[in-house]
């Protein structure tokens, strides 16, 4: 009930290829290079949409691709950039790398935008490669390939109000009285193992999402009784209803104990606006406690109400107060990171494997990218590629491994013959 999840595949666009082309003019036999750059590939972009409240659309279709950049053209014309693919998600969506589980982005503000996968860079056209030694370069780059990955989206429904209190205080009963939610209710501690959410209508137009947080016990902040999980659910709520059990032996001690647990949790929960509510006022014990508690609690600066979750007594007044407190409290934004580096740099830049007597494979993200961006059909490009192999130490490593002239070396999808 608290979560909505989806798993999706995304791919950013390839960059367009740079072009090799030469100016053609009347009476000029060999014009200079004029091949334009490729356009950038489209990004995979997420944007918060405050009008959405679920991830259902991702349950229907789950493959999303951005457009590729257009190839460069003669006369120095740059290819058009590929369209980015925009995915709109509800506020509160967490985006993870499905493989590693790392959080890539946490969508928390309205209109927040995050690029999760950048499109490939456009390849440079041959206009960039002319120099004093080579004025007619048959040299350009192909576009950088886009990237693909599986993402896991998770929407945490954010409750405006959390009901906290000791086990058995009547939290689930209260939630079921004020909303359509039907949490488990029982007369023994800790029946509720997962927070329940209910939508509570207040007056004619307003509504609040209220969460029933399972009973907190001493040591919750240290993890006792699933304490951490429960406390985390409270982090994003704006206001707390602290429910006191009017049938308990020491409701005041319970109140202090829970406040202590809230204070011990890292997110400083004791400073959240708190409405203190004595429950079970239909019972004589609770009636006896009311004046004592009211005095102590009001003296400490809290608003105090007495209700019966069973008979409904006092509940309307309490809800109006809750609404007023919610309206006076800004939305909580719990922040992880807005964007992080999607692909950390690899430690080992390449790996050489021998796949047969005269067959080798060089693998590595960087070198495979360079290979994908190389036009192997042109000599100038091959020379440049050879320089890159040398500067990355790949030529030397291949030679150390025993590569012979005439051997086949695979690099991504490219088959090369080893030369002098
Ligand atoms: N007389 C009376 N009994 C109540 C009232 N509210 C709850 N109870 C009873 O108190 C017991 C515990 O209620 P729950 O709503 O399950 O309590 P809880 O706070 O959700 O408990 P946990 O889920 O264990 O944390 C049940 O037997 C309820 O019927 C009330 O206003 N008056
Ligand atoms: Mg309960």
């Amino acid at each position: 009930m608290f979560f909505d999840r989806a798993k999706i595949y995304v791919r950013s666009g390839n960059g367009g290829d740079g072009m090799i082309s030469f100016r053609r003019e009347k009476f000029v036999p060999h014009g200079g290079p004029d091949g334009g750059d490729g356009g950038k590939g489209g990004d995979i972009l997420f944007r918060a949409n405050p009008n959405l409240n679920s991830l259902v659309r991702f349950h229907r279709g789950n493959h999303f691709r951005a457009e590729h950049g257009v190839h460069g053209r003669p006369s120095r014309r740059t290819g058009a950039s590929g369209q980015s693919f925009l995915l709109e998600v509800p506020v509160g969506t967490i985006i993870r790398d499905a493989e590693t589980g790392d959080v890539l982005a946490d969508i928390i503000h309205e209109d927040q935008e995050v690029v999760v996968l950048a499109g490939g860079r456009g390849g440079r056209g041959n206009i960039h490669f002319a120099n004093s030694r080579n004025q007619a370069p048959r040299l350009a780059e192909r576009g950088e390939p886009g990237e693909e990955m599986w993402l896991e989206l998770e929407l945490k429904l954010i409750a405006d109000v959390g009901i906290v209190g000791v086990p058995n205080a009547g939290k689930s009963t209260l939630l079921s009285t004020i909303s359509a939610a039907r949490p488990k209710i029982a007369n023994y501690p800790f029946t509720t193992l997962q927070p329940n959410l209910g939508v509570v209508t207040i007056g004619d137009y307003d509504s609040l999402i209220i969460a029933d947080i399972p009973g907190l016990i001493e040591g919750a902040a240290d993890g006792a009784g699933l304490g951490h999980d429960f406390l985390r659910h409270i982090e994003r709520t704006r206001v707390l209803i602290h429910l006191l059990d009017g049938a308990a032996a020491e409701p005041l001690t319970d109140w202090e104990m829970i406040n202590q647990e809230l204070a011990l949790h890292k997110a400083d929960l004791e400073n959240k606006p708190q409405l203190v509510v004595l429950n079970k006022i239909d019972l004589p014990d609770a009636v006896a406690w009311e004046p004592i508690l009211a005095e102590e609690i009001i003296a400490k600066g809290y608003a105090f109400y007495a209700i019966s979750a069973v008979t409904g007594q006092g509940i309307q007044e309490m809800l109006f107060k809750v609404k007023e407190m919610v309206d006076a409290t800004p939305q909580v934004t719990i922040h992880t990171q807005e964007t992080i580096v999607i692909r950390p740099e690899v430690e080992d830049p390449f790996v050489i494997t021998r796949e047969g007597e005269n067959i080798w494979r060089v693998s590595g993200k960087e070198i495979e990218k360079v290979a994908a961006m190389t036009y192997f059909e042109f000599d100038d490009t091959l020379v440049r590629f050879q320089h890159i192999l040398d500067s990355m130490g790949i030529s030397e490593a291949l030679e150390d491994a025993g590569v012979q002239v005439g051997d086949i070396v695979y690099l991504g999808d490219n088959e090369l013959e080893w030369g002098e």
Side-chain angles (χ1 to χ4, degrees):
M1 186 165 203
F2 241 78
F3 297 102
D4 193 1
R5 289 177 211 271
K7 194 170 173 188
I8 64 173
Y9 167 90
V10 290
R11 193 185 189 294
S12 58
N14 299 337
D17 295 342
M19 179 163 209
I20 296 177
S21 151
F22 297 93
R23 223 168 31 236
R24 283 163 195 264
E25 283 166 47
K26 271 185 192 164
F27 316 118
V28 183
H30 297 293
D34 76 347
D37 301 340
K40 185 184 165 308
D43 300 331
I44 293 290
L45 185 67
F46 281 84
R47 182 189 293 155
N49 179 338
N51 300 318
L52 298 175
N53 58 12
S54 85
L55 298 172
V56 280
R57 65 162 294 208
F58 299 108
H59 299 161
R60 293 195 290 267
N62 64 357
H63 279 61
F64 305 97
R65 291 182 177 82
E67 273 182 10
H68 299 315
V70 174
H71 301 324
R73 288 181 299 160
S75 313
R76 303 174 161 259
R77 279 175 297 171
T78 300
S81 298
Q83 275 276 332
S84 291
F85 198 97
L86 175 69
L87 293 127
E88 294 203 324
V89 292
V91 177
T93 302
I94 294 169
I95 303 168
R96 289 198 176 82
D97 179 334
E99 216 170 285
T100 63
D102 293 341
V103 173
L104 305 178
D106 194 355
I107 306 288
I108 45 182
H109 317 292
E110 290 186 14
D111 303 321
Q112 182 181 346
E113 272 192 7
V114 176
V115 172
V116 167
L117 280 187
R121 186 164 62 75
R124 286 176 294 171
N126 70 337
I127 47 173
H128 297 282
F129 294 95
N131 56 37
S132 54
R133 276 176 296 122
N134 190 351
Q135 302 199 355
R138 300 187 66 76
L139 175 57
E141 282 171 337
R142 306 192 63 180
E144 180 185 18
E147 297 198 72
E148 58 180 355
M149 71 193 298
W150 281 89
L151 299 175
E152 215 160 66
L153 309 183
E154 180 185 283
L155 173 63
K156 267 195 195 174
L157 293 172
I158 301 172
D160 304 298
V161 179
I163 310 175
V164 296
V166 289
N168 240 16
K171 302 177 292 295
S172 301
T173 308
L174 177 60
L175 186 73
S176 67
T177 309
I178 58 182
S179 76
R182 290 289 163 260
K184 263 203 184 139
I185 294 167
N187 191 15
Y188 52 86
F190 249 69
T191 50
T192 307
L193 290 178
Q194 270 222 324
N196 297 294
L197 281 191
V199 179
V200 178
T201 314
I202 293 168
D204 289 335
Y205 305 106
D206 293 322
S207 65
L208 288 175
I209 298 181
I210 299 195
D212 158 22
I213 313 288
L216 294 174
I217 54 172
E218 204 163 354
D222 298 327
L226 303 177
H228 274 310
D229 290 344
F230 298 164
L231 287 168
R232 225 185 21 247
H233 286 297
I234 308 174
E235 283 176 22
R236 294 194 191 200
T237 62
R238 290 204 248 182
V239 168
L240 296 180
I241 294 177
H242 193 150
L243 204 60
L244 305 183
D245 184 353
E250 291 289 344
L252 196 62
T253 318
D254 289 347
W255 181 59
E256 284 162 353
M257 183 272 285
I258 300 263
N259 281 339
Q260 177 113 34
E261 293 302 325
L262 295 177
L264 289 173
H265 188 67
K266 62 175 176 6
D268 199 20
L269 298 175
E270 96 260 41
N271 292 326
K272 232 177 239 303
Q274 186 182 112
L275 180 66
V276 185
V277 176
L278 175 65
N279 188 29
K280 310 193 184 176
I281 198 67
D282 56 295
L283 300 178
D285 278 4
V287 175
W289 272 112
E290 187 185 355
I292 306 165
L293 294 172
E295 195 185 321
E296 282 278 342
I297 288 164
I298 292 168
K300 293 215 164 101
Y302 293 87
F304 179 84
Y305 283 74
I307 63 162
S308 167
V310 166
T311 69
Q313 185 187 335
I315 287 185
Q316 275 315 316
E317 296 90 316
M318 178 200 77
L319 286 177
F320 282 121
K321 179 67 184 173
V322 169
K323 175 75 175 116
E324 188 189 304
M325 288 170 73
V326 167
D327 289 345
T329 312
Q331 188 97 48
V332 184
T333 51
I334 299 286
H335 196 74
T336 53
Q337 279 149 304
E338 283 194 14
T339 324
I340 63 167
V341 180
I342 310 289
R343 295 285 163 92
E345 284 308 314
V346 263
E347 289 272 305
D348 211 0
F350 62 89
V351 175
I352 292 173
T353 26
R354 187 168 198 161
E355 297 194 332
E357 178 63 19
N358 303 106
I359 302 173
W360 305 80
R361 173 171 291 280
V362 180
S363 25
K365 188 172 156 53
E366 197 52 40
I367 188 62
E368 283 175 35
K369 187 194 283 182
V370 173
M373 294 177 75
T374 299
Y375 284 103
F376 286 101
E377 50 275 51
F378 300 110
D379 287 347
D380 289 345
T381 340
L382 276 174
V383 170
R384 178 167 181 264
F385 186 71
Q386 187 66 51
H387 282 313
I388 295 173
L389 285 181
D390 292 348
S391 68
M392 287 180 73
I394 293 175
S395 308
E396 201 185 331
L398 273 167
E399 272 156 17
D400 289 350
V403 73
Q404 304 288 326
V405 172
D407 284 2
I408 300 297
V409 177
Y410 285 101
L411 245 165
D413 298 332
N414 303 287
E415 180 183 319
L416 309 175
E417 193 183 310
W418 196 250
E420 291 287 339

